[in-house]
């Protein structure tokens, strides 16, 4: 069966010959495409929109042969077919709005989802000379110049109804499976669950279903470090060598500071490497066992000079927690974070044991005729989550975490601010200590993604809203997350935003 990839951001694609307008009608399965005198990248974007919206397998094969090159041209056809079909399945296809050149050889198109009516961006990068083969293709939120319908949300009940209708529409199209929660000032405005937690047994998701967090565990690890700093058991500017003297070697450990690990500026990479891929997942249950995967890592850059997302960095912080606290990492998190926050349905469960109400992750796959099948991710991810990710939680527990954090129940206000503000002085302008930060919107939180895993926590610090979206479909949370952000923005900007509940 064919694999499904949600997008190819920054991948390489190219072209051998121009496509005639008549040929495009065939490629798009009869979808009409008007002649354009656009920039080459804009023209290619229009062609891809036609394919995504109505192209057949034969049409895509012809287009790939003629229009894709570089590393994208070398990719297996199954990957391209998976991208096209998964994008179509999640959007219902696109309606073209407008395309604009952003840089030489690059363009972004504003396109509207036929399923939701929402506007998104389709990025295309092409060769600088004819035939201008495609060198990059991907999706992103709507460009700032796109004509986006202005939402009007006059009250919190209206906000909840609008969100419910949006998620139900996605669920009916099988574009979302999971649970959603939206709260204001700690009070739940809306929560709902959709789809199946386990397709083998036709078991439905509920609001109490435990979903895989992906990288969201990084927030918990970072809060634990802040607790230890507040208790005087470590300093954020301590060198790693004080706690782990020889990781990944003595020289590197002396350069790396705790704050570098917290901000992804340590120069370390990811322990999900070839050894992990070749190994039995059952080998890696403790922090020390996980660290064995990273023992041969080298620094990609001098600590503090660049930002590069690092699973290994967060894993090492788990070891720092064990050394500074004298406790096993998992015990520490249960006692000092889950318990005080009231998170009774969260843990890094060992998946070869009995764990009630855990959702299985699924990735859609598409056959030659477009038929959908589902592959679970049980043999793809870790057997037990850890400091860098892979634990489980519920929408209710993540709301409890957000409430406890912002109320100062986990760490004092000084450390809450340290966690949730960017660190440009460390070359981390949009990431704090274990939290993503958007200074414009005031949203702090974290997401987690993997095949069959798509979760997100948004804490709206300026308005008191908290949004949790957890999906057991790869990429499933993103449309809901973006819609909630748009709805909250509309609500906060409403003339009656201070009342009208």
């Amino acid at each position: 069966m064919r694999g499904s990839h949600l997008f190819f951001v920054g991948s390489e694609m190219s072209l051998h010959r121009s496509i005639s307008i008549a040929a495009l009608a065939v490629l798009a399965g009869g979808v009409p495409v008007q002649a354009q005198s656009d920039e080459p990248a804009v023209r290619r974007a229009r062609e891809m929109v036609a394919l995504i919206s109505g192209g057949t397998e034969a049409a895509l094969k012809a287009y790939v042969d003629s229009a894709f090159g570089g590393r994208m041209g070398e990719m297996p056809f199954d990957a391209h077919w998976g991208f096209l079909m998964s994008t179509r399945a999640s959007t219902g296809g696109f309606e073209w709005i407008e395309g604009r050149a952003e840089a030489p050889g690059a363009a972004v198109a504003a396109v509207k989802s036929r399923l939701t009516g929402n506007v998104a961006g389709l990025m295309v990068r092409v060769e600088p000379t004819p035939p201008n083969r495609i060198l990059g293709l991907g999706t992103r939120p709507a460009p700032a110049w796109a004509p986006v319908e202005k939402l009007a949300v006059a009250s919190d009940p209206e906000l909840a109804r609008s969100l419910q209708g949006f998620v139900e529409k996605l669920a009916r199209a099988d574009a979302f499976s999971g649970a959603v929660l939206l709260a204001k000032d700690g009070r739940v405005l809306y929560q709902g669950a959709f789809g199946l937690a386990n397709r083998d047994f036709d078991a439905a998701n509920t609001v109490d279903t435990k979903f895989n967090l992906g990288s969201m565990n990084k927030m918990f690890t970072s809060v634990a470090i802040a607790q230890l700093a507040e208790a005087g058991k470590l300093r954020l500017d301590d060198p790693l060598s004080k706690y782990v003297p020889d990781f990944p070697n003595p020289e590197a450990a002396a350069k790396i500071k705790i704050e570098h690990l917290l901000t992804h500026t340590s120069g370390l990479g990811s322990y999900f490497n070839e050894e992990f891929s070749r190994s039995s997942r059952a080998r890696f249950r403790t922090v020390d066992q996980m660290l064995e995967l990273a023992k041969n890592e080298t620094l990609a850059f001098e600590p503090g000079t660049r930002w590069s997302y690092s699973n290994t960095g967060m894993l090492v912080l788990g070891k720092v927690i064990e050394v500074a606290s004298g406790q096993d990492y998992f015990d520490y998190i249960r006692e000092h974070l889950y318990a005080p926050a009231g998170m009774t349905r969260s843990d890094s469960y060992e998946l070869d044991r009995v764990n009630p109400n855990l959702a299985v992750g699924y990735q859609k796959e598409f056959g030659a005729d477009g038929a959908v099948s589902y592959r679970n991710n049980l043999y793809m991810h870790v057997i037990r989550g850890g400091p860098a990710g892979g634990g489980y939680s519920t929408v209710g527990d993540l709301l409890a975490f957000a409430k406890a954090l912002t109320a100062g129940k986990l760490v004092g206000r000084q450390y809450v601010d340290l966690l949730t503000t960017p660190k440009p002085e460390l070359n981390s302008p949009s990431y704090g200590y274990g939290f993503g930060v958007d200074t414009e919107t005031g949203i702090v939180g974290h997401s987690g993604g993997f095949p069959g895993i798509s979760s997100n926590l948004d804490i709206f610090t300026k308005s008191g809203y908290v949004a949790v979206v957890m999906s057991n479909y790869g990429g499933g949370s993103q449309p809901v997350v973006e819609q909630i952000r748009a709805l909250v923005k509309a609500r906060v900007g409403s003339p009656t935003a201070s009342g009208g509940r």
Side-chain angles (χ1 to χ4, degrees):
M1 298 299 291
R2 290 179 164 85
S4 172
H5 296 271
L6 295 178
F7 42 75
F8 305 134
V9 177
S11 300
E12 297 297 321
M13 298 174 85
S14 299
L15 215 189
H16 298 302
R17 63 179 183 274
S18 297
I19 307 296
S20 69
I21 299 304
L24 276 174
V26 176
L27 287 176
V31 177
V33 180
Q34 297 178 346
Q36 295 290 321
S37 58
D38 293 326
E39 293 288 330
V42 175
R43 173 168 54 87
R44 292 296 180 212
R46 184 181 287 274
E47 293 166 1
M48 283 305 307
V49 167
L51 281 166
I52 289 169
S53 302
T56 63
E57 182 177 25
L60 181 62
K61 282 182 177 177
Y63 194 76
V64 168
D65 288 344
S66 64
F68 287 13
R71 284 185 292 179
M72 289 277 301
E74 296 169 0
M75 293 176 66
F77 176 75
D78 283 2
H80 299 306
W81 180 244
F83 165 73
L84 185 148
M85 290 303 297
S86 61
T87 304
R88 185 183 300 171
S90 62
T91 64
F94 289 131
E95 293 179 9
W96 178 270
I97 299 176
E98 183 182 352
R100 294 186 183 182
E102 286 200 329
V108 62
V111 294
K112 180 184 287 189
S113 164
R114 290 175 176 170
L115 175 61
T116 66
N118 285 4
V119 178
L122 181 70
M123 302 173 293
V124 176
R125 183 167 56 86
V126 302
E127 292 177 329
T129 58
N132 306 110
R133 290 174 292 194
I134 299 173
L135 298 176
L137 175 67
T139 58
R140 76 180 198 191
W145 48 262
V148 178
E149 182 179 351
K150 188 173 182 180
L151 294 172
V153 182
S155 67
D156 285 341
E158 184 179 342
L159 175 74
R161 287 192 298 271
S162 181
L163 173 58
Q164 179 178 359
F166 182 86
V167 182
E168 287 177 347
K169 185 183 294 185
L170 289 177
R172 284 194 298 269
D174 194 32
F176 179 78
S177 173
V180 179
L181 182 149
L182 179 66
K184 171 70 180 299
D185 298 330
R187 183 175 64 91
V188 175
L189 301 177
Y190 171 76
Q191 60 180 332
F194 307 86
L196 297 176
N198 188 308
R199 304 189 74 87
D200 291 335
F201 299 99
D202 205 33
N205 283 319
T206 73
V207 292
D208 292 325
T209 297
K210 302 165 187 171
F211 293 90
N212 198 305
L213 292 164
S215 286
M216 294 173 71
N217 283 76
K218 292 178 172 67
M219 293 185 293
F220 307 154
T221 297
S222 299
V223 170
I225 289 288
Q227 289 176 339
L228 293 168
E230 189 173 45
K233 295 184 178 181
L234 60 77
R235 291 173 54 92
L236 300 178
D237 60 357
D238 279 344
L240 176 59
S241 57
K242 183 175 179 179
Y243 307 93
V244 192
D246 57 354
F247 184 86
N249 58 62
E251 182 181 357
K255 294 179 179 180
I256 299 169
K257 296 181 179 180
I258 302 301
E259 60 188 0
H260 295 143
L261 298 167
L262 288 165
T263 54
H264 298 290
T265 60
S266 67
L268 295 172
S270 177
Y271 61 97
F272 296 116
N273 50 30
E274 289 186 12
E275 183 181 350
F276 174 78
S277 299
R278 294 192 305 265
S279 301
S280 165
R281 305 299 193 260
R283 288 177 50 197
F284 310 114
R285 299 174 188 268
T286 69
V287 170
D288 284 341
Q289 288 168 347
M290 296 172 194
L291 281 172
E292 282 294 306
L293 290 165
K295 62 185 177 183
N296 295 320
E297 279 202 26
T298 58
L299 294 184
F301 51 85
E302 286 296 303
T305 63
R306 281 173 48 192
W307 192 94
S308 182
Y309 195 79
S310 173
N311 284 309
T312 298
M314 284 290 172
L315 173 61
V316 174
L317 285 174
K319 184 62 179 177
V320 172
I321 290 167
E322 291 187 336
V323 174
S325 70
Q327 281 187 275
D328 170 79
Y329 169 82
F330 302 101
D331 290 339
Y332 183 94
I333 296 297
R334 291 189 197 104
E335 180 181 340
H336 297 276
L337 194 141
Y338 295 154
M343 300 170 68
T344 59
R345 297 183 177 92
S346 302
D347 209 338
S348 291
Y349 301 105
E350 296 181 73
L351 298 186
D352 57 351
R353 299 185 183 277
V354 176
N355 300 293
N357 210 12
L358 262 60
V360 175
Y362 295 97
Q363 199 71 20
K364 288 184 180 179
E365 297 185 337
F366 300 90
D369 58 355
V372 180
S373 62
Y374 301 83
R375 183 180 296 275
N376 71 51
N377 64 4
L378 295 177
Y379 292 94
M380 299 172 68
H381 62 68
V382 296
I383 199 168
R384 187 188 198 186
Y392 285 78
S393 191
T394 67
V395 290
D397 268 16
L398 288 174
L399 172 61
F401 168 71
K403 290 167 63 176
L405 178 70
T406 55
K409 291 183 178 180
L410 300 179
V411 288
R413 173 50 55 188
Q414 174 189 356
Y415 282 91
V416 173
D417 291 344
L418 279 171
L419 289 163
T420 59
T421 52
K423 302 292 180 286
E425 69 278 10
L426 296 173
N427 284 297
S428 183
S430 58
Y431 199 90
Y433 290 153
F435 286 77
V437 183
D438 187 327
T439 54
E440 182 178 348
T441 63
I443 297 173
V444 301
H446 215 291
S447 61
F450 191 75
I453 300 168
S454 184
S455 298
N456 189 82
L457 169 66
D458 277 350
I459 302 171
F460 295 77
T461 59
K462 295 180 180 179
S463 58
Y465 291 95
V466 172
V468 187
V469 185
M470 309 187 78
S471 177
N472 58 331
Y473 281 177
S477 73
Q478 196 56 39
V480 184
V481 171
E482 292 178 4
Q483 185 71 3
I484 291 174
R485 290 172 180 173
L487 289 168
V488 169
K489 181 179 180 181
R491 172 72 182 114
V492 171
S494 166
T496 59
S498 60
R501 289 186 174 183

